[in-house]
Amino acid sequence: MAGKAVRDVKLWSPTVRWEERPNGEFVIWREDPLGPYPDKMNERLLHWARVAPDRTWMADREGTGEWRKVSYREAVDAVERIAQFLLDLGLSAENPLVILSENSIEHALMALGAQHVGIPSAAVAPTYATISADFGKLHDIARQITPGLVFADDAAAFRKAVDTAFGADIPFAAMRNIPDDRAQMFSFDEILKTKPTDAVTAAFDAVGPDTVAKFLFTSGTTGSPKAVIQTQRMLCSNQEQVADCYAYFRDEPPILVDWAPWNHTAAGSKCFNLVIYNGGTYYIDRGKPSPALIGQTIANLRDVAPTWYFNVPAGYEMLIQAMREDEALRKNFFKDLKMLMYAGAGMAQHTWDALLELSEMTIGEHVPLATGIGSTETAPFALFCTDPQDKPGNIGIPGQGVIMKLVPIDEKYELRLKGPNVTPGYWRNEKLTREAFDDEGFYRIGDAVKFAVPYDPRQGFYFDGRIAENFKLQTGTWVAVGVLRAQIVNQFGGLIRDAVITGENRAELGALAVPFMPALRKLLGGADDLTDEQVVAHPQVRAAIAERLKEHQAQSSGSATRVMRIMLMTDPLRFEKGEITDKGSINQRAVLAHRGDLVEALYADVQGVIKVGKELAA
């Protein structure tokens, strides 16, 4: 971005302070204090219903039809009715609401209705019910939080999962396909007929900063999903931290077009609540960063101009491809946009450059493009970078009220965090909660970081791998897996979407790569008559991959950064096995655990393995 005009956007003006301890640790914080924030998120919903009652709070549509819109006034009316219904049903923190549904207006209203009166909700990935045969993770969730009601969009689609995992006698509510042969069955329309009483006001008044707003389950890639407590203090303080960073929200209520699932913290907490906190409008995007569904996202972005936009790098890749061919899409996307954010995986340099190039081509300047770091346990906003950068990866500095500690471990710095946005722990799991915090009360996020500029925290940090993913080669050399994955995706120039690094206790590194099929097919001039397996095996594709691998090896500095062999995977990563989340993030350990046969084949030099530059292994 150096030398290029950057769109003038009102952002934070932070002052960073730090101390270096004699043991090599760093403690880093913001001198500018966190501003006041409400005791509960729905205070902001009520505020906007008073200040801007007719402003659209949320909109949804199927395909390219008319947007179905709900105003702030209409939202509050529905929330109070739902709240009364849930109180009448006897729900509480001990028997909360489970939402087994894709993003929808009804999903949002049910969650807000629950938290309005101090009843937590738990949005659960619908794929737990539609892909899994035994509903194992739903059983785990049922045991952990003992829900009092399950809400789904389609009763017929989810009934078997609900009855099997939660019990055929649990109260069940849905939007459509309501069965007439099930007790304790409610329609959403029926719920909205409930008239609120003074009990709703009394329960709302009793909600405070320590009230549990909801539970968010980690993806469960290393075992059973864990119920992370999300208090009102966490959510509200985090939104004040966000509003400080994206300071233009104070003057210009944000407009979002967002597809990311609400059972993840990125969209379910940050995106969902930043709209409510700042009086914005949330357009639900029913598209996804996949060949089958990206068309819906494109149609929505042709129609609605966001002022803040979030996506994963794979989603940006697909949008870039579309925007190069669709001027109307490009113009509408960039015209009001103040910030682009990416997360979920490392962004390749060519993706970064393409977004800035398209921005400059369209509006004559660069829209700020940035990322940060956080987790479900940090609500999630913790660190963020707003300074112009020439390359992706800088995760920035702590938000107001966040204290970060860097602990030197194996030539790395382990990141630990403390602040009002950090969870008090895991629901009904004291052991896991104790293990998550150090003796000073810092949350162990599990990530390693490195200084962008040595020993100057003001310049931000780079992600340096998940501590649990890193491993040693046979020589005892540590491999920073997260960093290497991002590098190899970048160096393969869009031919692969991600990679799983292999080589623990072996002589050399390998990779199981997720191919980006549109790019590989483009190499072959379309290849519409070929299967994915035939495309991957095509000599022209293999030659292109081999050439990229050779270039990667030439740029590598040693055995811990040099992949010597690669295999393109055509069998999709499996959500139910924890190999991938429904946001598209890959779990390195889970893939290696479930695909040991591929790892063995990779090192056995069987057909399908691409290997070059053996002489570079020394």
Side-chain angles (χ1 to χ4, degrees):
M1 294 177 73
K4 300 292 184 180
V6 179
R7 175 164 269 187
D8 186 21
V9 179
K10 187 178 178 182
L11 300 170
W12 61 13
S13 300
T15 304
V16 177
R17 293 285 182 261
W18 69 93
E19 68 165 310
E20 183 177 3
R21 293 174 169 176
N23 61 2
E25 295 177 351
F26 282 83
V27 178
I28 304 155
W29 67 94
R30 290 275 294 278
E31 185 179 71
D32 43 323
L34 180 63
Y37 51 88
D39 287 344
K40 45 205 167 192
M41 187 58 64
N42 279 25
E43 285 185 28
R44 299 299 291 170
L45 187 70
L46 296 177
H47 167 80
W48 293 111
R50 291 191 301 270
V51 171
D54 297 323
R55 182 183 298 165
T56 299
W57 156 67
M58 187 167 282
D60 192 7
R61 70 173 178 179
E62 298 280 356
T64 57
E66 290 295 314
W67 288 97
R68 183 166 59 96
K69 298 180 178 180
V70 175
S71 69
Y72 275 90
R73 175 170 50 205
E74 292 168 333
V76 168
D77 177 68
V79 161
E80 290 178 342
R81 292 172 180 272
I82 292 166
Q84 183 67 58
F85 171 82
L86 298 177
L87 288 175
D88 292 344
L89 206 58
L91 268 64
S92 66
E94 299 301 320
N95 302 105
L97 167 68
V98 162
I99 301 175
L100 195 58
S101 170
E102 298 284 355
N103 298 359
S104 68
I105 290 171
E106 292 78 8
H107 175 157
L109 290 171
M110 289 296 293
L112 290 172
Q115 78 172 32
H116 195 76
V117 288
I119 298 167
S121 65
V124 174
T127 36
Y128 285 166
T130 56
I131 293 180
S132 173
D134 62 359
F135 312 120
K137 291 193 175 182
L138 287 182
H139 280 289
D140 288 339
I141 289 167
R143 283 193 293 270
Q144 286 184 64
I145 63 172
T146 57
L149 172 70
V150 177
F151 174 81
D153 47 13
D154 188 327
F158 290 98
R159 180 175 180 178
K160 181 180 179 182
V162 170
D163 289 355
T164 302
F166 299 101
D169 57 345
I170 192 171
F172 186 19
M175 291 160 49
R176 58 184 179 273
N177 294 327
I178 309 298
D180 55 13
D181 64 340
R182 191 186 191 283
Q184 294 278 75
M185 188 75 225
F186 306 95
S187 72
F188 184 76
D189 290 340
E190 180 184 356
I191 292 171
L192 286 186
K193 292 176 182 176
T194 309
K195 293 184 178 180
T197 69
D198 290 343
V200 170
T201 303
F204 175 76
D205 290 344
V207 174
D210 294 317
T211 303
V212 180
K214 62 180 180 177
F215 302 110
L216 277 174
F217 285 89
T218 55
S219 58
T221 48
T222 55
S224 299
K226 300 174 291 192
V228 184
I229 298 168
Q230 308 283 296
T231 65
Q232 293 285 350
R233 176 182 285 106
M234 285 176 65
L235 302 183
C236 293
S237 66
N238 205 229
Q239 285 306 316
E240 181 59 26
Q241 291 163 340
V242 168
D244 167 65
C245 183
Y246 314 143
Y248 71 95
F249 285 1
R250 312 272 199 197
D251 308 315
E252 180 185 345
I255 297 174
L256 270 64
V257 181
D258 187 59
W259 65 268
W262 291 340
N263 53 280
H264 282 278
T265 186
S269 288
K270 183 181 176 182
C271 296
F272 186 90
N273 286 327
L274 73 79
V275 167
I276 292 172
Y277 200 82
N278 300 285
T281 301
Y282 198 124
Y283 288 87
I284 296 173
D285 174 14
R286 290 187 175 259
K288 292 280 193 302
S290 70
L293 295 173
I294 191 64
Q296 176 72 69
T297 294
I298 291 167
N300 291 337
L301 290 172
R302 278 199 199 103
D303 195 46
V304 180
T307 63
W308 185 89
Y309 189 72
F310 164 79
N311 213 328
V312 295
Y316 278 119
E317 288 269 9
M318 293 182 177
L319 282 180
I320 288 166
Q321 205 169 15
M323 285 193 285
R324 290 199 190 283
E325 302 166 359
D326 188 336
E327 185 179 4
L329 166 65
R330 190 174 71 243
K331 285 184 174 179
N332 199 61
F333 181 70
F334 283 111
K335 71 175 184 179
D336 297 328
L337 193 61
K338 305 297 191 302
M339 176 166 282
L340 289 160
M341 181 186 171
Y342 70 94
M347 178 175 279
Q349 186 69 45
H350 68 267
T351 309
W352 174 277
D353 292 340
L355 285 169
L356 298 182
E357 172 201 337
L358 289 167
S359 171
E360 188 175 4
M361 179 193 309
T362 309
I363 60 173
E365 56 191 0
H366 292 166
V367 171
L369 173 56
T371 193
I373 199 168
S375 68
T376 306
E377 289 84 352
T378 66
F381 184 95
L383 277 72
F384 201 80
C385 177
T386 60
D387 288 342
Q389 304 287 312
D390 291 319
K391 62 181 181 178
N394 193 321
I395 57 174
I397 60 173
Q400 287 181 335
V402 175
I403 306 171
M404 56 186 289
K405 181 165 73 169
L406 304 183
V407 179
I409 297 176
D410 293 323
E411 301 180 359
K412 293 178 176 291
Y413 285 107
E414 179 194 350
L415 175 63
R416 302 180 187 181
L417 297 166
K418 184 189 288 190
N421 57 309
V422 175
T423 183
Y426 302 93
W427 187 246
R428 296 173 176 169
N429 197 326
E430 293 182 8
K431 179 177 183 294
L432 203 60
T433 298
R434 284 195 307 272
E435 293 171 349
F437 296 88
D438 69 14
D439 56 4
E440 291 186 299
F442 283 88
Y443 167 64
R444 306 172 189 265
I445 194 170
D447 293 326
V449 298
K450 60 183 177 182
F451 287 91
V453 174
Y455 308 112
D456 186 355
R458 295 169 297 184
Q459 308 305 316
F461 298 86
Y462 284 96
F463 175 69
D464 203 18
R466 291 285 297 167
I467 291 171
E469 287 183 347
N470 296 338
F471 60 79
K472 287 183 179 180
L473 287 168
Q474 205 173 62
T475 58
T477 305
W478 276 102
V479 178
V481 168
V483 176
L484 181 56
R485 282 170 62 187
Q487 286 175 349
I488 199 167
V489 170
N490 181 44
Q491 290 164 338
F492 272 64
L495 298 182
I496 64 174
R497 289 181 60 172
D498 211 330
V500 173
I501 306 301
T502 68
E504 185 167 10
N505 296 322
R506 294 180 185 267
E508 63 184 33
L509 294 176
L512 301 175
V514 180
F516 187 49
M517 295 308 302
L520 297 187
R521 289 182 181 277
K522 189 175 180 180
L523 275 179
L524 303 180
D528 294 336
D529 57 332
L530 300 181
T531 66
D532 286 355
E533 288 78 8
Q534 289 171 326
V535 169
V536 164
H538 195 283
Q540 194 172 336
V541 168
R542 289 178 59 82
I545 295 294
E547 183 61 30
R548 295 288 186 174
L549 181 59
K550 186 176 180 180
E551 292 171 1
H552 153 77
Q553 292 171 352
Q555 296 174 46
S556 300
S557 58
S559 61
T561 60
R562 185 182 300 131
V563 171
M564 299 303 300
R565 53 186 72 221
I566 192 168
M567 181 186 291
L568 300 182
M569 296 186 289
T570 54
D571 184 26
L573 298 178
R574 306 294 292 274
F575 173 82
E576 71 274 18
K577 290 185 176 181
E579 295 177 335
I580 192 169
T581 72
D582 48 1
K583 199 176 70 176
S585 302
I586 291 178
N587 182 275
Q588 161 98 6
R589 287 289 182 186
V591 175
L592 292 176
H594 292 114
R595 304 197 181 216
D597 57 334
L598 290 186
V599 176
E600 293 304 319
L602 182 64
Y603 287 91
D605 296 338
V606 301
Q607 186 176 3
V609 175
I610 299 171
K611 185 176 67 169
V612 297
K614 190 68 178 178
E615 70 280 359
L616 295 174

